[in-house]
Amino acid sequence: MNGPYAADRLVALVDAILQRSGSSPEEAANVAANLVDSDATGHASHGVCQIAVYAKSLELGHLQPNRHARVVRDEAPFLVVEGDVGYGQVIAREATDLAIARAKAGGACVLALRNAHHIGRVGSYGEQCIAAGLIGVFFVNVVSRPLAAPHGGGRPRLGTNPICIAVPATPGHPPFLLDFATSAVAANKCRVAAASGKEVADGLLIDERGAPTRDPGVMFRDPTGAILPFGGHKGYGLALACEILAGALAGGLPALPENLRPGRVVNNALAFLIDPARVSGAENSGWQALTDAVLDHIQDTPPVPGGDGVLVPGGPERRSRVLAAEHGITLDPDTVRALHGIGGALGLDVPAFLGA
């Protein structure tokens, strides 16, 4: 049964798996909540399905439980944090909290995060900035099996390299949260489609020869195919910027062949946190009124025939959370099998956790 499952049941199960895998209760709770929330927001590629990846990384020694953000350099406005390949959800949250404190004190912080295991949905750290009343801009690289081809290239060379831009709520609108991979499709969506025997849309994938294909299975054969960048040369340019800013500059670990290890997933990030009051002046909330005017104007755009109208980034995630709370979360069959396999091997009664 693939669900739907209540979020609290999934959190409890993932929490138990993580604790039995060596995590402290605090770490397990943090990571479990983050993974399930990713599913709830509609970003299943960064959700509970990652448990199988983490189990493999633990087995190979590429993921170290119970690590914390370690400050390497603290020279305002610059903050450099080492992750020691700890759980990225813990390391990135702690690093963002440190950067928030410095941006609150000095108006801005440039955060370099190095060598964290998979940090999950980057939007969750944007939400931290939003809750603190700050603007956050994140560039992230992915050091793992390359998945995306550069524009004009026929082989994978890049990760899915996400970017996130977060802006606090204004009097007339909820927060703006732009969070996207620079690849045309998430690798996990290819996995789900392949497991279901379905094709993907045109223009997303190339096969091992560099020819266009709709077969998602090309991503799971050797040699593999590749995901194309979104928007052609534009998405490729952003992906390459992530590799330079997050991988080379912030992390010193770009996704070059000598840095790749089978079964390893490392994220590095370069983030800019800004107090908008320091830009506009604490006594001047004009930026908020102008932002509302922009968003009002955009959302007033007549919809295309049969369309639902214009959405603002962050809106789909809020809507998805509401639906998940009302109806539960559905997982793909591979993820359900992984939960039963991993949880069962650790002595957990998985059906009882899931209410099955």
Side-chain angles (χ1 to χ4, degrees):
M1 180 180 176
N2 303 323
Y5 304 110
D8 58 347
R9 286 186 174 274
L10 286 176
V11 169
L13 173 58
V14 175
D15 186 309
I17 288 173
L18 292 169
Q19 287 199 52
R20 294 210 177 182
S21 300
S23 289
S24 69
E26 294 77 15
E27 177 172 88
N30 183 320
V31 177
N34 180 281
L35 293 177
V36 174
D37 185 60
S38 291
D39 279 297
T41 56
H43 296 277
S45 58
H46 290 35
V48 175
C49 70
Q50 292 295 329
I51 267 300
V53 177
Y54 298 173
K56 188 65 174 178
S57 292
L58 285 168
E59 178 186 334
L60 295 172
H62 295 326
L63 168 58
Q64 300 299 319
N66 305 313
R67 297 294 193 269
H68 294 278
R70 179 165 58 87
V71 175
V72 175
R73 185 175 302 117
D74 191 355
E75 301 171 1
F78 302 104
L79 176 67
V80 181
V81 173
E82 167 66 34
D84 295 317
V85 291
Y87 274 100
Q89 289 88 347
V90 173
I91 304 300
R93 176 164 289 278
E94 291 178 348
T96 302
D97 278 337
L98 292 169
I100 286 170
R102 284 149 182 78
K104 286 282 197 179
C109 180
V110 180
L111 168 66
L113 173 61
R114 300 175 174 174
N115 202 32
H117 194 265
H118 182 243
I119 65 175
R121 186 176 70 92
V122 184
S124 64
Y125 313 111
E127 288 169 345
Q128 275 181 262
C129 296
I130 286 168
L134 301 176
I135 291 169
V137 180
F138 295 78
F139 295 88
V140 182
N141 87 321
V142 185
V143 186
S144 184
R145 175 173 75 93
L147 296 170
H151 182 65
R155 300 294 301 136
R157 287 291 183 270
L158 294 163
T160 52
N161 292 7
I163 293 172
C164 175
I165 301 172
V167 181
T170 53
H173 288 273
F176 174 99
L177 184 65
L178 178 65
D179 177 18
F180 63 94
T182 50
S183 58
V185 65
N188 186 59
K189 291 184 179 179
C190 295
R191 180 183 62 81
V192 172
S196 305
K198 298 179 179 177
E199 292 187 327
V200 298
D202 287 324
L204 302 182
L205 301 176
I206 54 176
D207 65 18
E208 65 276 9
R209 301 181 306 277
T213 182
R214 297 183 64 186
D215 175 14
V218 300
M219 296 305 300
F220 309 100
R221 297 197 286 262
D222 188 20
T224 70
I227 305 172
L228 294 172
F230 86 86
H233 65 283
K234 296 179 181 179
Y236 156 62
L238 290 173
L240 191 55
C242 287
E243 202 62 54
I244 294 169
L245 296 176
L249 176 62
L253 193 71
L256 295 171
E258 58 266 29
N259 293 330
L260 306 180
R261 305 286 186 277
R264 184 173 79 165
V265 183
V266 171
N267 284 142
N268 306 284
L270 186 68
F272 303 87
L273 280 68
I274 303 166
D275 183 349
R278 302 295 187 100
V279 179
S280 63
E283 73 292 341
N284 179 10
S285 60
W287 77 271
Q288 293 181 319
L290 290 172
T291 298
D292 279 338
V294 169
L295 296 177
D296 287 343
H297 178 63
I298 292 301
Q299 289 195 292
D300 189 47
T301 307
V304 297
D308 296 326
V310 175
L311 296 175
V312 171
E317 287 82 358
R318 286 189 293 273
R319 179 183 299 176
S320 183
R321 275 195 180 111
V322 170
L323 293 174
E326 292 177 351
H327 304 293
I329 294 170
T330 300
L331 303 176
D332 69 88
D334 285 351
T335 297
V336 175
R337 281 192 289 270
L339 288 174
H340 281 275
I342 295 168
L346 293 168
L348 296 171
D349 184 351
V350 175
F353 274 97
L354 295 177

